Amino acid sequence: MTTDQWYDLPQGEREFWIADWELDRAACAQCGGDPETCGDSTQSWFPQRSICFPTMERAAAHARYQALHEELPFHDGTFANWAEERSALFPYRFDEGVNVWVAPVDMTPGDKFLTDAYAPPSAEQQ
């Protein structure tokens, strides 16, 4: 947008875009939240995750396409059955389609995904 185009906008629209820009500048550079909340060491944060199955499928297809050979655990889509190598039965790496995030309230208290009980068994245990 040129300067002339900017000044041709109605006053209300210019004020909207200025306010939007100021909000962006006032946000935490790392998470986009309120910097006062981000800097509050007394605020509790609870790790969360959300799963996107389309992203999971895309990541698995991309990895198969490139034939990557990582030594990371792979699962069958249930997060309960694991294998050391990607295969048709175990196409998903543990982090494909998973997003870890935080919230000021534990929105999923039953999801203990950061505990050993929910980690895949070791090769010796299988």
Side-chain angles (χ1 to χ4, degrees):
M1 175 179 296
T2 67
T3 304
D4 289 339
Q5 290 172 322
W6 171 256
Y7 286 108
D8 287 342
L9 291 173
Q11 179 67 25
E13 191 167 347
R14 284 194 312 246
E15 290 173 0
F16 168 81
W17 288 113
I18 290 170
D20 184 61
W21 176 78
E22 288 174 344
L23 282 174
D24 284 347
R25 288 201 59 209
C28 171
Q30 294 189 51
C31 73
D34 178 4
E36 286 188 30
T37 303
C38 295
D40 182 358
S41 63
T42 64
Q43 172 69 48
S44 296
W45 296 100
F46 300 91
Q48 310 290 313
R49 71 174 171 176
S50 56
I51 298 168
C52 174
F53 285 97
T55 300
M56 184 185 299
E57 289 293 344
R58 182 180 64 235
H62 182 73
R64 286 192 305 268
Y65 178 74
Q66 292 186 356
L68 297 176
H69 300 285
E70 298 177 0
E71 292 187 15
L72 294 173
F74 297 88
H75 66 90
D76 64 354
T78 66
F79 292 88
N81 300 305
W82 298 84
E84 291 184 33
E85 297 181 16
R86 189 183 299 270
S87 68
L89 294 176
F90 296 89
Y92 311 112
R93 198 172 69 180
F94 71 96
D95 59 349
E96 293 172 346
V98 174
N99 181 34
V100 177
W101 51 286
V102 296
V105 175
D106 191 353
M107 299 170 69
T108 55
D111 190 359
K112 307 295 184 195
F113 70 100
L114 293 179
T115 66
D116 287 343
Y118 284 76
S122 67
E124 296 86 38
Q125 294 172 322
Q126 290 185 352

